[in-house]
């Protein structure tokens, strides 16, 4: 945790590092604070989507011009933060794709199918090449910060696909940038096979609901 | 009055009393109580005057009155559980927003709720 914060601080010295402590029972908060990060401490666990919402809410209130979301396990390379933010000049959300560049990064099982299916569907929805829609390494511009801090649903696993669907319905532009992942500094991958299955199921549901919503919006606008 | 009418009337009365008791104990919102009081009342009325049900179901084309009753019950319970899911959704959103406000307050002033760590 401390290493991740330090790495980001040295790569982007003029940025503020914000750590969201999602109801953890270890020393995450104090370690991060000691490393020079600001820490938002949630009173109980709300999941990645909820944690992202609170980070974006604080950024929106303080008028931040960009927010970059990254995992705390160190697999998201701090040296790529600058290029993600630079890419915000032509879009509202930039996804750091683990696939677009080198193909070393591999997924297996349901998680891989989910990723393929969702990438295909989201690329069509946004009319833009998006290979890695489940990536947790993303940059948000001011419009995306404002919209998502309010509209993102407070549910488990709701941070990736839902965000892209909401982005579409608010007319935000999404693009991707290839990034090379680092090996994790700590922790284990957060998705076991069962959880991946649940994730796939939920994602398909969100997809169906969102397509219905987008079609409805189109009919509404054209009438 | 035959036995089945008596059972129905007692059931209606029990529903009525339980609902009133829950409201008085503060365990059921007055907002929800009206609905359940109406259910209790309806059960009691239909038990005492079953010909009301028979006539209504014949009028609406149900061949067996009990089918009509089951139909009403299923529709009522489905709508009720949908309504409950909707209120949970709205509560979820409020709880999330409160958690966010607490996190932001804690960051600004770690001592605002004790030591700022998880309870």
């Amino acid at each position: 945790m401390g290493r991740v914060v330090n790495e980001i601080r040295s790569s982007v010295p003029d940025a503020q590092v914000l750590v969201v402590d999602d109801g953890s029972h270890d020393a995450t908060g104090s370690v991060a604070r000691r490393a020079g990060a600001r820490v938002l401490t949630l009173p109980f666990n709300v999941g990645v989507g909820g944690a992202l919402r609170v980070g974006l809410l604080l950024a929106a209130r303080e008028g931040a011009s960009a927010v970059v979301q990254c995992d705390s396990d160190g697999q998201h390379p701090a040296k790529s933060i600058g290029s993600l933010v630079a890419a915000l000049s032509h879009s509202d959300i930039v996804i750091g794709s683990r696939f677009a560049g080198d193909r070393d990064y591999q997924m297996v099982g349901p998680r891989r199918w989910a990723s393929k299916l969702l990438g295909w569907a989201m690329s069509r929805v946004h009319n833009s090449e998006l290979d890695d829609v489940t990536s947790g390494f993303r940059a948000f511009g001011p419009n995306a910060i404002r919209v998502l801090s309010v509209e993102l649903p407070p549910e488990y696993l709701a941070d990736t696909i839902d965000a892209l669907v909401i982005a579409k319905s608010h007319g935000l532009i999404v693009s991707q940038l290839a990034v090379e992942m680092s090996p994790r500094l700590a922790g284990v991958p957060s998705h076991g096979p069962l959880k991946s299955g649940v994730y796939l199921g939920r994602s398909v549901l969100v997809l169906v609901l969102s397509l219905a919503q987008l079609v409805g919006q189109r009919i509404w606008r054209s009438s | 009055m035959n036995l089945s009418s008596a059972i129905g009337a007692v059931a209606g009365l029990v529903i009525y009393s339980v609902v009133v008791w829950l409201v008085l104990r503060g365990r059921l919102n007055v907002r929800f109580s009206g609905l359940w009081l109406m259910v209790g009342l309806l059960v009691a009325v239909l038990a005492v005057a079953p010909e009301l049900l028979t006539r209504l179901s014949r009028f609406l084309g149900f061949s067996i009155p009990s089918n009509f009753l089951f139909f009403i019950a299923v529709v009522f319970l489905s709508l009720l559980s949908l309504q409950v899911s909707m209120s949970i959704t709205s509560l979820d959103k409020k709880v999330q927003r409160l958690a966010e406000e607490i996190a932001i307050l804690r960051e600004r002033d770690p001592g605002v709720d004790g030591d700022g760590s998880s309870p």
Side-chain angles (χ1 to χ4, degrees):
Chain A
M1 182 77 246
R3 252 176 89 182
V4 176
V5 173
N6 285 328
E7 200 188 323
I8 295 173
R9 273 165 55 91
S10 57
S11 298
V12 257
D14 52 348
Q16 295 198 40
V17 182
L18 179 67
V19 171
V20 181
D21 182 358
D22 187 11
S24 75
H25 293 289
D26 53 23
T28 300
S30 52
V31 170
R33 219 171 277 123
R34 229 174 297 129
R38 296 174 68 183
V39 178
L40 285 174
T41 312
L42 287 160
F44 43 80
N45 187 267
V46 297
V48 184
L52 178 60
R53 261 175 69 111
V54 67
L56 293 175
L57 183 66
L58 185 69
R61 290 197 181 159
E62 299 190 350
S65 58
V67 169
V68 175
Q69 171 199 6
C70 51
D71 286 357
S72 57
D73 59 10
Q75 69 163 328
H76 296 146
K79 59 178 173 5
S80 302
I81 290 176
S83 41
L84 279 188
V85 172
L88 283 174
S89 60
H90 58 82
S91 48
D92 297 297
I93 298 176
V94 179
I95 303 172
S97 169
R98 296 162 283 190
F99 304 127
D102 74 311
R103 301 270 160 180
D104 288 349
Y105 193 89
Q106 290 294 333
M107 289 178 172
V108 287
R111 189 156 160 73
R112 184 183 163 79
W113 310 329
S115 176
K116 278 252 170 341
L117 172 72
L118 296 171
W120 175 82
M122 283 297 125
S123 297
R124 251 132 217 87
V125 165
H126 280 286
N127 210 0
S128 154
E129 187 69 24
L130 304 172
D131 312 298
D132 191 12
V133 289
T134 57
S135 168
F137 189 37
R138 294 176 293 185
F140 303 93
N143 291 332
I145 293 171
R146 189 175 40 77
V147 168
L148 292 177
S149 64
V150 178
E151 300 289 337
L152 210 59
E155 283 181 65
Y156 279 90
L157 306 173
D159 62 312
T160 50
I161 302 307
D162 302 52
L164 294 181
V165 170
I166 292 163
K168 180 65 188 178
S169 66
H170 285 78
L172 301 178
I173 298 164
V174 180
S175 64
Q176 74 172 9
L177 193 74
V179 290
E180 201 176 309
M181 292 294 150
S182 323
R184 290 167 195 268
L185 290 177
V188 289
S190 55
H191 293 266
L194 182 67
K195 211 173 167 193
S196 299
V198 173
Y199 181 81
L200 174 60
R202 187 188 185 281
S203 300
V204 169
L205 185 62
V206 169
L207 215 57
V208 171
L209 288 173
S210 63
L211 291 183
Q213 186 202 350
L214 293 175
V215 169
Q217 266 187 357
R218 193 161 297 173
I219 293 168
W220 178 253
R221 285 212 191 101
S222 63
S223 68
Chain B
M1 191 194 278
N2 59 31
L3 186 60
S4 70
S5 303
I7 293 173
V10 169
L13 206 67
V14 167
I15 294 174
Y16 209 94
S17 332
V18 167
V19 170
V20 169
W21 181 74
L22 285 175
V23 171
L24 291 180
R25 290 285 307 270
R27 304 196 36 195
L28 184 65
N29 278 346
V30 176
R31 190 156 63 95
F32 292 118
S33 68
L35 198 66
W36 288 110
L37 290 179
M38 258 155 51
V39 171
L41 203 64
L42 195 70
V43 168
V45 166
L46 289 180
V48 175
E51 67 275 6
L52 225 62
L53 178 70
T54 323
R55 221 175 293 160
L56 193 60
S57 54
R58 198 169 301 144
F59 175 71
L60 292 172
F62 285 85
S63 50
I64 306 170
S66 61
N67 279 356
F68 174 54
L69 199 62
F70 289 142
F71 174 72
I72 297 290
V74 166
V75 168
F76 172 76
L77 290 176
S78 305
L79 288 179
L80 187 73
S81 68
L82 185 63
Q83 208 274 325
V84 169
S85 305
M86 283 166 64
S87 16
I88 291 174
T89 301
S90 127
L91 290 175
D92 263 354
K93 282 189 176 162
K94 289 178 184 167
V95 167
Q96 167 73 23
R97 184 51 90 194
L98 284 175
E100 288 166 3
E101 296 297 346
I102 289 171
I104 287 174
L105 285 175
R106 280 176 173 176
E107 198 265 336
R108 195 181 300 162
D109 174 12
V112 72
D113 64 341
D115 58 2
S117 63
S118 305

